[in-house]
Amino acid sequence: IKPDGEDGHVLFRKVGIGLTDTGAAFLADAFDLTDSETGIIRLLMDGLHAKEIGERRRTTEATVRTQLKSIFLKTGTSGQTELMRIVSGISLFQATKARNNGARIFRPVGNPAEDGRMVRLPRGGFVQINESGDPNGKPFLSLHGLFLGYSLPKIAEQQLMAKGLKRYGIMRPGFGRSSPVEPDASLGEIVDRFVHVLDALGIEKCPIAAHGFGGAHAFAFANRHPDRVSALILIGAFLPTGNMASVIKLSGFQRALMFAAQHSPAMFSFFSRTAERVLERDGIIEFLKRYLGSSKSDIEALAKFETESSMRMRLNLSQAQQIETYRQECLLQISDLSEFASHPGVPVVVLHGREDPVFPADLVRKAAAALKVDDYIELENCGQMIMYARPEAAIEQIAKYA
């Protein structure tokens, strides 16, 4: 548009958002939709209402509405508007060349350069370490999950001081400022980095506390290097008795991420940027509620100002920094980890919330029995956020083996 009233032109581009066969196949695989359900989505995209869809498909409006409820449940959407946003995004993405595959998933908050020390690896690259607790205390390593386990609330920090414990929080490869690994690196190759971390810190042997998928990393490290581990303390963690996707409760969005990680890096990039926009719009607390799911106790923990403040301060460290790293994390989660599904020969303690919405307690209980862990502690009125709701339970076990 030209200034000063001169004649100008505005260019509009029409983009069709009909659902292609490829898009329909993706939706069906990602969200476990039937042919009938994808057919209904196609008609919704064409602008038809439930009554019109029923007439087109020679069925009743009530039947169509029942099928729509099933679609909303499978896709994790709250209604037709949200469903159309997801489907339209997929359709538009297919019509547009993917860009920025190496962009950050989440924009950093704060200044990561001021937080943590860097351990240089012999073959190049770094591992970021965040320290907390008693500066002169007994050491232990801490491994985070995908969203939780990067930092501790003030009450947990105070308990570390009281117990004389020093926490070294390892940022796993590709997270925070830790260097990424090769795309085809195995879990065993990834955890071998931790040997160099222990050497750099002057620690011969210590406990490892792990949260979420960090539990698989802890088990792998203890199986490969049992002489460097005095105990495993698994806090709301995944136990590697198979692949993670087969033993946890996945939302529709999480299933879509897993599928895209396997079959379409470009589509995975799109979903990751969608998550970024949701995070920026709703904030970290609402983001966690929506994408992780929450028990009653988790919601109460998330509602505390201290919890929100702590998470916001560490947001730049709490997300995979590169989309490729995030995709690699998802690929590890759906890979077969049974080679590490054996007792590592060091004490293994599992602390798990009975209300855990991510790793159901009944499945973890069975996995713990299969792995013959030394102690299984199930916490009542507790979900995934044990270190916010019941930190003393975990810190007591860490102190026992430090």
Side-chain angles (χ1 to χ4, degrees), residues 71-244:
I71 293 170
F72 298 151
L73 182 64
K74 290 181 178 181
T75 57
T77 53
S78 59
Q80 185 174 329
T81 300
E82 188 177 6
L83 175 66
M84 289 298 96
R85 280 202 299 266
I86 290 177
V87 178
S88 297
I90 291 173
S91 299
L92 285 169
F93 180 82
Q94 290 172 332
T96 306
K97 197 171 183 179
R99 296 188 297 268
N100 282 338
N101 279 346
R104 292 175 183 269
I105 295 181
F106 303 106
R107 293 184 178 90
V109 175
N111 183 5
E114 297 176 353
D115 202 341
R117 73 160 78 176
M118 304 298 289
V119 172
R120 185 184 293 275
L121 298 171
R123 296 184 180 180
F126 295 87
V127 174
Q128 180 179 351
I129 308 295
N130 302 314
E131 303 176 25
S132 60
D134 185 348
N136 301 311
K138 296 178 181 178
F140 71 96
L141 296 187
S142 175
L143 297 175
H144 60 82
L146 184 57
F147 290 101
L148 300 174
Y150 306 86
S151 61
L152 299 178
K154 187 180 297 181
I155 186 172
E157 297 283 4
Q158 292 170 345
Q159 291 176 15
L160 289 181
M161 290 291 293
K163 292 287 188 179
L165 294 171
K166 182 169 185 177
R167 170 182 171 272
Y168 292 98
I170 294 180
M171 298 304 297
R172 297 196 276 110
F175 290 77
R177 291 183 292 141
S178 291
S179 304
V181 294
E182 294 298 320
D184 59 348
S186 67
L187 182 58
E189 293 170 326
I190 290 172
V191 301
D192 284 346
R193 286 183 164 200
F194 304 159
V195 172
H196 304 298
V197 172
L198 288 173
D199 290 343
L201 296 174
I203 299 173
E204 182 62 31
K205 193 174 190 176
C206 72
I208 296 180
H211 194 285
F213 194 57
H217 291 70
F219 243 91
F221 182 74
N223 268 284
R224 290 170 72 90
H225 306 281
D227 57 317
R228 306 303 298 268
V229 182
S230 60
L232 294 182
I233 315 298
L234 306 177
I235 308 164
F238 168 68
L239 305 184
T241 53
N243 72 68
M244 181 171 162

Side-chain angles (χ1 to χ4, degrees), residues 17 39 45 60-61 65 156 216 233 280 341 360:
I17 56 173
M45 294 288 289
T60 66
E61 180 180 354
R65 294 196 178 280
I233 315 298
E280 291 177 340

